[in-house]
Amino acid sequence: MASSSSVLVIFLLSTVLIISIMPNVNAQRNHSKSNLISPGSSLSPHGYNLSISSWLSSSGRFAFGFYPQGNGFAVGIRLLNPPNNTVVWTANRDDPPVSSNSTLKLTGDGLLLRSEGGQEIPITNGSNLLETSAISNASTAAAAMLDSGNFVLYDETFFVIWESFDFPTDTILGGQDLLASMGLISSASVADHSSGRFSLEMQDDGNLVAYPPNSSSPYLATMTFGSYQLSLNLSGFLVLSSQSSGLTTQVLANGSYHHPQDNKTTIYRATLDVDGIFRLYLHNFLMSGSPEGAVKAIWSALQDPCDVKGICGFNSYCEVVMQKKAAEVHCKCYPGFVYNNASQMSLGCYHNFTVGGCTGNEEPRLRYKVAALDNTSWSNHPYSVTPIQNKEDCGDSCLGDCNCWAVLYTDADCRKYKLPLLYGKTTSSISSKGFIKVLLPRNMDSMPNNFPYLPKSPTVTESKNKSLILILAISLGSIAFLCSVFAISSFAIYMHRVHRYKKLLKHSSLALADQEYFTLQSFSYSELERATDGFKEEIGRGTFGAVYKGTLSVGSSNKTVAVKRLEKVVDEGVREFIAEMTTIGRTHHRNLIQLLGFCTEGSRKLLVYEYMSNGSLADLIFKAKSVHTSWKERVRLVFDVAKGVLYLHDECSVHIIHSNLKPQNVLLDHTWTANISDFGLARLVPNETKINSTGGEGGGAGTVEQLRRGYLAPEWQKNALISVKADIYSFGIVLLEILCCRRNIEVNVSTTDEIILSSWVSKCFAAGELDKLVEDDENVDLKTLERMVKVGLWCVQDDPALRPFMKNIILMLEGTMDIPVPPCPELPSLV
Ligand SMILES: *[C@@H]1O[C@H](CO)[C@@H](O)[C@H](O)[C@H]1NC(C)=O
Ligand SMILES: *[C@@H]1O[C@H](CO)[C@@H](O)[C@H](O)[C@H]1NC(C)=O
Ligand SMILES: *[C@@H]1O[C@H](CO)[C@@H](O)[C@H](O)[C@H]1NC(C)=O
Ligand SMILES: *[C@@H]1O[C@H](CO)[C@@H](O)[C@H](O)[C@H]1NC(C)=O
Ligand SMILES: *[C@@H]1O[C@H](CO)[C@@H](O)[C@H](O)[C@H]1NC(C)=O
Ligand SMILES: *[C@@H]1O[C@H](CO)[C@@H](O)[C@H](O)[C@H]1NC(C)=O
Ligand SMILES: *[C@@H]1O[C@H](CO)[C@@H](O)[C@H](O)[C@H]1NC(C)=O
Ligand SMILES: *[C@@H]1O[C@H](CO)[C@@H](O)[C@H](O)[C@H]1NC(C)=O
Ligand SMILES: *[C@@H]1O[C@H](CO)[C@@H](O)[C@H](O)[C@H]1NC(C)=O
Ligand SMILES: *[C@@H]1O[C@H](CO)[C@@H](O)[C@H](O)[C@H]1NC(C)=O
Ligand SMILES: *[C@@H]1O[C@H](CO)[C@@H](O)[C@H](O)[C@H]1NC(C)=O
Ligand SMILES: *[C@@H]1O[C@H](CO)[C@@H](O)[C@H](O)[C@H]1NC(C)=O
């Protein structure tokens, strides 16, 4: 019964459909003439009357014109699908709403929006991707709202000179393509269609990628490389296609089975929604008014809304909460944090206590404890990863570390983090456990406490005095315990080192035993001579000597290495040399070149590094342009270098001043990741090539050559104390060089202003003409450029005290920290 009646319904519906289509076919063919809008026509938002405020497509489904927005009106295209209409395009979406007295008029110059004050704003400006200068000059002879949802302008020959499909906002419709380097930006909210927080880009490299706000770390990437475009076709397929090497397609979503392929009754739409998820929707006009509603999401790029990075702000985490059968996304502060704005929980949280740090001799365990959080994770990079067997020990290790604010325990690894915590989420499928450092409340009774605390912390129910005594007892006990552990381990380490040095002196090639920190190998000269085939292939030459390519056999496989033969180095004792190497060998960071081993035989000193197959940063950015010098890549390189320097300055066990930072010393590995080299060698340089300075820890070795190129901070010449701020200066210069793809000093330029990069950048910045710096590069994001230039100008300030520290530089580069307008640097003279 049921099935036969539904067959009947379908039959009736299709009959109705065919009947309704028949006359439409003619209208369709002729509509382009009959539905044309001619110059002189105008619209007004008055009275919400559709026929006065909008131009309709011939099907009546799409309307171009005014729609209510905030307390005024915006201009755009709506899909009329009662009861609710869907805005699919907005003109000048970030402009404020206009009043009900505005008018929209079609003229020979396109569409003009005349505001109440008489101001005229062009709506259909902007360059068509296929535009030639002839077309851009053409005057508008007609316009039309097409049934596809595309609003077009024609010239007299009926050539399309502008179309809304070329300027998508957050939506593409069936028949619309997203070409390379185009993108969608989500709306601010369901009711406000101005630019929101998330973006989806069809990148030049063929990858469709979604980014959180102010970040270059995507939460979605299709990993499709090649010259692709994204299309939503009329039968509901989202397809990535490539024209190179024949037409190949990859189907992202197949919406076809949801309804017979009939574009009279169904309209497909793909939107980057307010929550950052890209979804495919089906508007079904046969179902219009039915209880299920006419709109249905039939595919979504991500299932878990908490996978969208940036859905919750810094120091908060995302949780999906079931509420009345609907899943809701909640952003919650980590323990010890409060909302930046309690009425907008997605804006992140801040510590509501002043962070004392580890200034005094105060035992941190008297001040802090850790709060545990199950099934949680976040996305920062840890600054330390240590294998630890026990969860509680992981939490506890954070208490004893001044830099640590949170730890994650996963698979017997304990990862330590600094603040802010980014993109946190919690869900039962995550197995890692988090511990957050929180202040011990002075007054135990008023402890705000929704989280389970560790059993190791003093229990809350004790009276004040008792707990204080308990804390003291525990702390004194642990201090005594730690002291004895320290004493014992120091002795053990000492014995261990003595033993190790003895071994090293025998030139054995045994791996060093200090597994916990590093494995440095000691080689004999003849071994390295063999490995490099008698120092045959020189691959570079730096301040400290030549570098050769070599091959070492490790087990059964061969490993390519770079062997640096130190020339002109200070002839210091073997013991001192090994101590230096130990320091360098202990640095482990993905943006620092890894020292694998060394050789010291009399005056012969050689270092063995991992091999970097893609040459130096200087070779990359100062030579011909390639895909690896695209804007995105350059921004990534800036962060690579910054993170490497941050590690040297702040994060490794012995703080290292590089003092010789320049693009020649930044090498690129096979994945084009930047690796800083030549650090830690400063003390090995003899005095005649040094610029005199009193030197700080690890400093004291800027070279004459480096000064000539302009990488050296002015304090080197002034014989002033050298600090990490000298590296900041060099970093600033390298940063500007990467941004502009040119050397700091370039004589071959059109005006003398341009010779010194830092002064030219400063001039362009002051004049608001930063685009001059990157003239032939269209993909540059000017906002990011401005931010990075401001950072660069702060770094190259003459006064070291004005230059920011590396950790703040990274926050500023990321856009997490505001950057004041930099003062004009005192510029170096050319002589
Ligand atoms: C289109 O309209 C013109 C005049 O308005 C008419 O002569 C012509 O027959 C129409 N064409 C079709 C296919 O209906
Ligand atoms: C809308 O405007 C048209 C043309 O002025 C008029 O015929 C129609 O009655 C108006 N409709 C409403 C609901 O006011
Ligand atoms: C529109 O113009 C009329 C007459 O000039 C004025 O009374 C009215 O306040 C204006 N409306 C708005 C929303 O500005
Ligand atoms: C069109 O012009 C307006 C006002 O001049 C401007 O805000 C807008 O960005 C322009 N749009 C495009 C696509 O260039
Ligand atoms: C387009 O207009 C510009 C200035 O308005 C003019 O210089 C140029 O020659 C015009 N191009 C064509 C093809 O008419
Ligand atoms: C509907 O589909 C037909 C072919 O299936 C196509 O020719 C026509 O342009 C489509 N109409 C719209 C409004 O997209
Ligand atoms: C849409 O794309 C799918 C998959 O590539 C294809 O099978 C289908 O024929 C396409 N439909 C239209 C109307 O182009
Ligand atoms: C799309 O899905 C339908 C129904 O599941 C299936 O019949 C069709 O083959 C699919 N098309 C493609 C191109 O995958
Ligand atoms: C229409 O919008 C209202 C309020 O925005 C919402 O409650 C309702 O669910 C929507 N209806 C449909 C069918 O989407
Ligand atoms: C918090 O957000 C609300 C809602 O957007 C806003 O009205 C209020 O001004 C904000 N408060 C602060 C302190 O920024
Ligand atoms: C921190 O937040 C807690 C709970 O919201 C509150 O009781 C406490 O007074 C706050 N502390 C400060 C210093 O604001
Ligand atoms: C992104 O950066 C801009 C300016 O740097 C800032 O105004 C905005 O609040 C940031 N957005 C988020 C979500 O952090």
Side-chain angles (χ1 to χ4, degrees), residues 542-713:
T543 320
F544 305 103
V547 184
Y548 303 88
K549 188 171 175 177
T551 311
L552 287 173
S553 43
V554 182
S556 58
S557 64
N558 285 337
K559 187 179 172 67
T560 311
V561 293
V563 178
K564 174 174 287 197
R565 193 153 66 174
L566 297 179
E567 293 155 11
K568 304 183 287 188
V569 298
V570 182
D571 199 10
E572 57 181 5
V574 171
R575 185 178 266 274
E576 287 74 19
F577 181 75
I578 291 175
E580 297 282 335
M581 291 312 106
T582 310
T583 309
I584 302 173
R586 270 192 191 163
T587 55
H588 291 283
H589 190 270
R590 72 186 287 270
N591 300 118
L592 295 181
I593 193 165
Q594 186 64 47
L595 181 67
L596 303 173
F598 60 90
C599 157
T600 167
E601 276 185 30
S603 62
R604 286 165 168 170
K605 295 196 167 67
L606 298 96
L607 305 181
V608 181
Y609 287 104
E610 55 180 342
Y611 178 71
M612 298 279 122
S613 54
N614 281 319
S616 77
L617 182 63
D619 293 339
L620 180 68
I621 59 175
F622 301 148
K623 298 211 170 127
K625 300 216 158 155
S626 72
V627 284
H628 301 293
T629 56
S630 71
W631 173 247
K632 284 246 165 69
E633 286 292 282
R634 267 145 62 211
V635 168
R636 185 182 59 76
L637 287 169
V638 165
F639 278 103
D640 277 0
V641 177
K643 284 175 187 162
V645 177
L646 175 69
Y647 179 85
L648 289 176
H649 285 182
D650 285 350
E651 293 176 352
C652 62
S653 51
V654 180
H655 300 310
I656 296 175
I657 300 178
H658 189 296
S659 75
N660 197 12
L661 188 64
K662 56 186 178 183
Q664 288 76 8
N665 278 339
V666 176
L667 304 176
L668 301 163
D669 67 14
H670 64 285
T671 63
W672 296 89
T673 303
N675 285 252
I676 298 175
S677 75
D678 255 14
F679 56 89
L681 301 177
R683 268 180 291 195
L684 303 176
V685 184
N687 280 326
E688 62 265 30
T689 54
K690 270 187 208 173
I691 289 163
N692 284 334
S693 85
T694 38
E697 170 70 33
T703 61
V704 178
E705 183 261 0
Q706 204 196 2
L707 179 65
R708 202 162 38 93
R709 298 270 184 89
Y711 295 104
L712 272 200

Side-chain angles (χ1 to χ4, degrees), residues 338 352-353 448:
V338 291
N352 85 335
F353 54 82

Side-chain angles (χ1 to χ4, degrees), residues 179-222:
L179 304 178
S181 77
M182 283 166 69
L184 304 179
I185 295 177
S186 65
S187 289
S189 72
V190 178
D192 176 358
H193 292 91
S194 58
S195 300
R197 298 190 292 156
F198 303 97
S199 63
L200 179 78
E201 285 175 38
M202 186 68 240
Q203 292 185 167
D204 290 341
D205 60 9
N207 205 348
L208 181 71
V209 184
Y211 292 102
N214 295 345
S215 167
S216 54
S217 106
Y219 56 87
L220 178 78
T222 55

Side-chain angles (χ1 to χ4, degrees), residues 415-583:
R415 294 159 200 272
K416 290 184 180 172
Y417 298 84
K418 297 180 178 177
L419 296 180
L421 298 177
L422 302 183
Y423 313 141
K425 60 178 278 192
T426 176
T427 171
S428 57
S429 63
I430 298 178
S431 62
S432 52
K433 183 165 185 164
F435 297 94
I436 319 284
K437 208 186 223 175
V438 294
L439 200 62
L440 271 176
R442 289 254 166 88
N443 186 349
M444 295 277 183
D445 307 324
S446 69
M447 188 162 72
N449 182 349
N450 311 324
F451 292 92
Y453 285 89
L454 280 183
K456 277 195 181 171
S457 314
T459 32
V460 188
T461 47
E462 299 285 344
S463 81
K464 247 186 190 173
N465 281 342
K466 258 191 180 170
S467 54
L468 196 63
I469 290 166
L470 188 61
I471 295 171
L472 278 174
I474 290 176
S475 337
L476 289 177
S478 21
I479 291 170
F481 175 73
L482 285 176
C483 284
S484 50
V485 166
F486 182 71
I488 294 169
S489 56
S490 304
F491 182 70
I493 289 171
Y494 173 74
M495 288 310 288
H496 181 66
R497 292 218 173 130
V498 168
H499 182 63
R500 195 171 72 217
Y501 289 149
K502 278 187 189 151
K503 269 210 242 168
L504 281 172
L505 293 177
K506 283 190 244 149
H507 307 304
S508 68
S509 38
L510 285 173
L512 294 182
D514 205 347
Q515 296 286 357
E516 202 188 336
Y517 294 109
F518 66 105
T519 40
L520 262 195
Q521 238 178 329
S522 159
F523 296 95
S524 71
Y525 186 76
S526 56
E527 262 179 296
L528 293 183
E529 200 170 22
R530 253 198 327 276
T532 56
D533 204 2
F535 301 102
K536 202 161 124 205
E537 194 182 337
E538 184 175 316
I539 51 175
R541 179 170 282 275
T543 320
F544 305 103
V547 184
Y548 303 88
K549 188 171 175 177
T551 311
L552 287 173
S553 43
V554 182
S556 58
S557 64
N558 285 337
K559 187 179 172 67
T560 311
V561 293
V563 178
K564 174 174 287 197
R565 193 153 66 174
L566 297 179
E567 293 155 11
K568 304 183 287 188
V569 298
V570 182
D571 199 10
E572 57 181 5
V574 171
R575 185 178 266 274
E576 287 74 19
F577 181 75
I578 291 175
E580 297 282 335
M581 291 312 106
T582 310
T583 309

Side-chain angles (χ1 to χ4, degrees), residues 25-27 29-30 33-34:
V25 171
N26 281 334
R29 246 186 250 160
N30 248 356
K33 299 264 154 71
S34 59

Side-chain angles (χ1 to χ4, degrees), residues 322-369:
M322 292 307 285
Q323 228 150 45
K324 293 182 204 146
K325 283 195 252 170
E328 272 184 28
V329 171
H330 284 197
C331 293
K332 297 181 175 172
C333 289
Y334 286 113
F337 290 84
V338 291
Y339 288 113
N340 282 326
N341 182 339
S343 53
Q344 281 183 286
M345 294 181 181
S346 65
L347 290 184
C349 306
Y350 68 100
H351 252 160
N352 85 335
F353 54 82
T354 42
V355 176
C358 290
T359 43
N361 304 324
E362 198 181 4
E363 161 60 22
R365 269 159 245 264
L366 273 182
R367 208 174 142 74
Y368 300 111
K369 61 180 176 175

